[in-house]
């Protein structure tokens, strides 16, 4: 049997160890510290290239960053929040942490992200909505100009979930800079990883300071432990931040390798009745995961393809099952401009392919061969 071909795993380079070693040498094994400070600075410099203001807060996870983004946006019990529908549950769960109510907005075929037309329709039904949470799926940027126009028109705050989209650009500006409050993730399978962790990003220093306050147990300035608000223990560890700093040095290299994988699938699968996950030509995805959809009307099922590839020791993953199809959100509203939900359709026809940057050309050729075998 061939060695297992995996979906996406961490790729370390050695630089990570240097920063971790420094934390050990200085015995700075705690949350906060020089690696956290530098990781924040280096990440915001990487994102903005010094062209705009971006204050970063390193945190235990992308989910915790999204949670504080929801708090900063002022979501209170019963508030409607318009959310991406086809995404990982972590995009939308934090709305519930604050007692908000998610209304899910359908995807579009061009990017697999939130459809601006469906968002406009959602605002007509819910004019009181003041917050939008948008995820860039699989590292493909959404239609930011259109989405931001609609948010501005309705006086709504945009929260960007760029957990999968670090290094992706929309019209030469990086994902994670478009919303008022944004989150990125360094979870184990993301384009770069700190083993686990995330960051909150905002152009407001005041907002960053408030999030820091919440993330460090909401301690008021007093000689004793004084609390006026509920706090959280959400800070990243200085050791973990060291891994992240080492990884950040290699992010462009990771992106280029991910793109190469996508291009090889595109080329290798071009004669089959499938399409790769689409993107707009004025955007640069990070190609975090290469995905395919089986063409409409073709009598083949992605779950059968998944099983077929698993038998050849190849790991794949279903497309994120849309949130409006999840039992936990069965009482939440869903807005679409199509007769059949685009998200449901992509979910029914799609599959995520092995996109690990350590995959060799030979291994990828084997995957392509197996997919061809499935169709013939
Ligand atoms: C991974 C991911 C998250 C959560 O990030 P964690 O760091 O794992 O908490 C949120 N949203 C999306 C779209 C993700 O893929």
């Amino acid at each position: 049997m061939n060695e297992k071909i995996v979906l996406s795993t961490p790729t370390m380079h050695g630089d990570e160890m240097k920063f971790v070693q420094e934390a050990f040498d200085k015995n700075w094994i705690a949350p906060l510290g020089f690696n956290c400070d530098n990781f924040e600075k280096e990440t915001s410099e990487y994102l903005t290239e010094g062209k705009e203001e971006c204050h970063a807060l390193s945190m235990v996870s992308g989910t915790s960053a999204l949670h504080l983004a929801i708090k900063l946006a002022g979501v209170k019990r019963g508030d409607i929040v318009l959310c991406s529908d086809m995404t990982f549950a972590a995009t939308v769960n934090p709305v519930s942490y604050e007692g908000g109510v998610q209304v899910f907005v359908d995807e579009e075929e061009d990017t697999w992200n939130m459809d601006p037309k469906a968002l406009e329709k959602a605002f007509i039904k819910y004019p009181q909505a003041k917050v939008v949470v948008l995820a860039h799926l699989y590292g493909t940027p959404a239609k930011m100009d259109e989405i931001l126009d609609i948010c501005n028109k309705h006086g709504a705050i945009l929260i960007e979930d760029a957990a999968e989209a670090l290094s992706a650009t929309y019209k030469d500006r990086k994902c994670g800079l478009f919303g008022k409050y944004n989150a990125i993730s360094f979870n184990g399978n993301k384009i770069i990883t700190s083993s686990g962790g995330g960051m909150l990003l905002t152009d407001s220093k005041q907002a960053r300071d408030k999030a820091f306050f919440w993330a460090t147990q909401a301690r008021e300035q007093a000689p004793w432990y004084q609390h006026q608000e509920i706090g959280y223990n959400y800070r990243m560890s200085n050791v973990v931040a060291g891994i992240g700093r080492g990884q950040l040095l290699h992010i462009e290299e990771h992106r280029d390798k991910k793109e190469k994988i996508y291009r090889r699938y595109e080329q290798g699968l071009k004669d089959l009745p499938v399409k790769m996950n689409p993107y707009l030509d004025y955007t640069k995805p990070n190609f975090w995961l290469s995905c395919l959809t089986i063409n409409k009307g073709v009598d083949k099922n992605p779950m059968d393809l998944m099983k077929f590839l698993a038998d050849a020791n190849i790991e794949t993953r279903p497309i994120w099952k849309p949130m409006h199809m999840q039992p936990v959100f069965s009482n939440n509203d869903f807005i679409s401009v199509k007769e059949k939900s685009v998200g449901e359709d992509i979910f029914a026809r799609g599959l995520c392919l092995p996109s690990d940057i350590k995959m060799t050309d030979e291994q990828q050729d084997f995957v392509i061969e197996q997919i061809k075998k499935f169709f013939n």
Side-chain angles (χ1 to χ4, degrees), residues 157-169:
I157 290 173
L158 178 71
I159 294 173
E160 237 188 311
D161 176 358
E164 302 178 358
L166 187 58
S167 83
T169 63

Side-chain angles (χ1 to χ4, degrees), residues 61-63 66 87-88 90-91 161 163-164 185 187 190 197:
S61 63
T63 309
L66 283 160
T87 181
F88 184 39
T91 306
D161 176 358
E164 302 178 358
S185 166
N187 192 38
K190 299 293 187 322

Side-chain angles (χ1 to χ4, degrees), residues 264-316:
R264 291 186 93 253
Y265 278 130
E266 197 176 36
Q267 180 63 25
L269 302 175
K270 69 178 189 325
D271 297 327
L272 295 180
V274 301
K275 280 181 191 65
M276 297 299 294
N277 47 328
Y279 61 92
L280 305 168
D281 59 10
Y282 52 87
T283 67
K284 260 179 84 181
N286 69 6
F287 301 99
W288 173 53
L289 292 186
S290 287
C291 311
L292 61 72
T293 45
I294 300 172
N295 291 351
K296 286 180 192 175
V298 175
D299 190 23
K300 292 274 184 196
N301 185 305
M303 290 303 105
D304 293 337
L305 175 56
M306 185 174 188
K307 168 110 199 3
F308 185 86
L309 294 174
D311 288 344
N313 217 9
I314 297 167
E315 183 186 20
T316 59

